[in-house]
């Protein structure tokens, strides 16, 4: 008999590289690029596979009310709040501990709350195959078919085919992971043809991921056991806080995936974008004839390949600009060269230290 499957939406990120549109009080996953916010779109994509009662959301304390506003259909008990953001290993371990109480043999599908996916049917097809692979004891991840030699993503090398689905989407044994390569190495990966971007979307059985956390991250596992022991007691929140205080911020990739065997990757072309900075966000926005992405009241002269994004009802006029990003919100105004998109995180750090 197959185990029950649950979706876990990771919604604790701050999205600092999209400042000032994304802030601590209204982070990236709650942004609206259409009528639905990013987190609502994430849940919409998986509803054909999972009913609301089998969808969980992990966020950080202080954002639970926002989650309930955006996703009122999710049962309150399925909204888990971390005391602090500690990267994906504690987040997913926390979620696995919650699901273990419901069904220790459950299959867990985890997805970031703030990604853009154009071909949603293709995603569901890949997740369905991933759940089949997970039932066989594999830790599975979705790999994005690269279309340029990106240096900002991790890569997954695929080996032998494990299984297939209608000869369209296949699962492969993972040979190894490579973190953010140099440009020359990324070009080599593209030429070799069996390397895929790490999407951060995972599928596994709860018992298997907890076994691997116990083996490779024993301090985290010990904390998770303590959380499990006090789950529905009066001091559960305090115990979670104390456990998190002792944890290092570690990704599940570094903490577990790069160290284990029996991992599968499912390459998929689904129009994926992690919306990680203003360059990637601009790439999914509609462009005018001059290559500009305009989400504002705007008049431009000789303005090309630029992004103008505003949350305010005032005119933004531009003259003679190229490859510039302008973001206007009630809290702040950002003007930058598009090539410096990664530096937004640095300026957020300066603001926190100096203002």
């Amino acid at each position: 008999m197959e185990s029950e499957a649950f979706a876990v939406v990771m919604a604790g990120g701050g999205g600092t590289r999209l400042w000032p549109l994304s802030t601590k009080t209204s982070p990236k996953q709650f942004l609206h690029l259409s009528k639905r916010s990013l987190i609502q779109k994430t849940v919409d994509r998986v509803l054909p596979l999972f009913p609301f009662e089998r969808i969980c959301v992990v966020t950080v304390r202080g954002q639970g009310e926002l989650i309930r506003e955006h996703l009122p259909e999710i049962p309150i008990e399925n909204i888990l709040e971390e005391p602090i953001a500690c990267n994906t290993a504690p987040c997913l371990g926390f979620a696995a501990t919650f699901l273990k109480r419901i069904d220790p043999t459950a299959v867990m599908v985890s997805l970031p709350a703030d990604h853009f996916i154009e071909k949603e049917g293709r995603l569901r097809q890949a997740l369905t195959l991933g759940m089949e692979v997970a039932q066989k004891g594999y830790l599975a991840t979705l790999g994005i078919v690269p279309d340029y030699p990106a240096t900002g993503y991790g890569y997954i090398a695929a080996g032998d085919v494990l299984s297939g689905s209608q000869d369209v989407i296949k699962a492969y044994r993972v040979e190894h992971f490579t973190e953010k390569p140099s440009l020359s190495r990324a070009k080599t990966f593209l030429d070799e043809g069996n390397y895929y971007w790490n999407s951060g979307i995972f599928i596994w059985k709860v018992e298997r991921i907890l076994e691997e956390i116990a083996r490779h991250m024993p301090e985290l596992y010990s904390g998770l056991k303590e959380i499990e022991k006090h789950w529905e007691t009066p001091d559960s929140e305090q115990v979670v806080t104390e456990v998190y205080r002792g944890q290092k911020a570690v990704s599940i990739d570094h903490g577990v995936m790069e160290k284990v065997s029996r991992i599968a990757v499912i390459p998929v072309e689904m129009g994926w974008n992690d919306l990680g900075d203003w360059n990637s966000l601009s790439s999914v926005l509609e462009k005018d004839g001059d290559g500009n992405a305009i989400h504002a009241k705007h008049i431009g002269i000789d303005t090309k390949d630029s992004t103008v994004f505003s949350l305010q009802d005032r005119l933004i006029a531009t003259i003679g600009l190229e490859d510039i990003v302008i973001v206007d919100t009630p809290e702040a105004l950002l003007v930058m060269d598009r090539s410096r998109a990664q530096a937004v995180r640095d300026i957020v750090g300066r603001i926190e230290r100096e203002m």
Side-chain angles (χ1 to χ4, degrees):
M1 180 177 177
E2 288 195 351
S3 308
E4 206 164 27
F6 294 79
V8 173
V9 177
M10 297 178 286
T16 54
R17 286 176 294 175
L18 285 179
W19 179 89
L21 189 61
S22 175
T23 65
K24 284 186 177 181
T25 56
S26 183
K28 172 182 165 188
Q29 54 268 24
F30 302 109
L31 300 179
H32 286 78
L33 300 183
S34 63
K35 293 181 179 180
R36 303 279 282 170
S37 65
L38 292 179
I39 191 169
Q40 289 171 332
K41 292 286 290 181
T42 299
V43 170
D44 292 346
R45 291 183 197 114
V46 298
L47 274 177
L49 299 178
F50 306 94
F52 284 114
E53 60 268 22
R54 285 197 280 115
I55 298 175
C56 308
V57 179
V58 186
T59 188
V60 292
R61 285 181 192 162
Q63 292 184 14
E65 187 59 38
L66 268 175
I67 296 292
R68 289 187 283 275
E69 287 177 14
H70 284 247
L71 300 170
E73 306 90 347
I74 301 290
I76 292 178
E77 61 271 20
N78 287 13
I79 300 173
L80 310 178
E81 295 189 38
E82 299 178 286
I84 54 174
C86 264
N87 215 315
T88 53
C91 169
L92 294 174
F94 190 27
T97 301
F98 169 73
L99 293 179
K100 178 186 175 185
R101 300 172 64 256
I102 301 172
D103 179 2
T105 67
V107 170
M108 171 177 160
V109 173
S110 65
L111 313 97
D114 52 7
H115 288 184
F116 173 88
I117 294 174
E118 184 180 10
K119 301 175 183 177
E120 299 182 351
R122 187 65 62 87
L123 166 70
R124 290 189 288 270
Q125 189 178 12
L127 293 179
T128 300
L129 176 57
M131 288 186 279
E132 294 173 8
V133 169
Q135 291 282 4
K136 299 174 183 177
Y138 284 88
L139 302 177
T141 182
L142 301 193
I144 305 302
V145 179
D147 53 10
Y148 70 98
T151 58
Y153 299 135
Y155 284 73
I156 304 169
D160 298 333
V161 176
L162 292 177
S163 60
S165 176
Q166 301 177 0
D167 294 325
V168 175
I169 297 181
K170 294 182 170 64
Y172 299 81
R173 188 182 303 276
V174 169
E175 291 185 344
H176 59 84
F177 290 79
T178 301
E179 268 305 305
K180 298 181 180 179
S182 65
L183 180 59
S184 61
R185 200 171 185 197
K187 289 179 178 178
T188 300
F189 290 166
L190 249 67
D191 292 340
E192 292 185 9
N194 66 319
Y195 282 83
Y196 304 96
W197 292 337
N198 187 350
S199 69
I201 299 173
F202 302 103
I203 311 102
W204 45 49
K205 295 192 79 169
V206 165
E207 56 190 358
R208 172 79 202 281
I209 190 60
L210 288 174
E211 286 171 2
E212 297 297 354
I213 290 174
R215 185 173 295 113
H216 300 287
M217 303 186 71
E219 289 185 9
L220 173 58
Y221 184 74
S222 176
L224 295 174
K225 293 295 288 184
E226 194 68 17
I227 290 172
E228 181 182 20
K229 186 166 61 175
H230 293 84
W231 196 277
E232 289 186 331
T233 66
D235 59 346
S236 61
E237 186 171 311
Q238 180 182 345
V239 170
V240 172
T241 299
E242 291 173 354
V243 166
Y244 266 75
R245 281 178 184 158
Q247 299 304 316
K248 296 178 181 178
V250 180
S251 71
I252 198 69
D253 305 87
H254 286 307
V256 174
M257 299 295 281
E258 295 173 4
K259 302 174 182 177
V260 302
S261 57
R262 288 181 65 77
I263 308 177
V265 61
I266 301 168
V268 57
E269 294 184 89
M270 56 185 181
W272 173 89
N273 191 310
D274 70 345
L275 304 179
D277 59 28
W278 278 104
N279 275 336
S280 57
L281 177 59
S282 298
S283 71
V284 305
L285 299 176
E286 187 176 351
K287 309 293 191 304
D288 65 17
D290 291 314
N292 299 308
I294 307 297
H295 274 241
K297 185 186 295 184
H298 171 258
I299 293 177
I301 297 174
D302 295 330
T303 299
K304 298 179 181 179
D305 300 322
S306 294
T307 296
V308 182
F309 204 111
S310 178
L311 298 182
Q312 310 219 77
D313 186 28
R314 63 176 174 182
L315 177 66
I316 297 176
T318 58
I319 303 172
L321 299 185
E322 187 169 355
D323 291 322
I324 297 297
V325 173
I326 299 172
V327 187
D328 188 22
T329 75
E331 292 78 25
L333 170 67
L334 170 69
V335 181
M336 72 172 179
D337 188 296
R338 185 188 297 280
S339 67
R340 302 296 302 278
Q342 292 294 313
V344 172
R345 178 177 286 175
D346 299 332
I347 207 164
V348 171
R350 284 193 60 180
I351 291 169
E352 291 175 349
R353 292 191 303 270
E354 300 175 14
M355 300 186 69

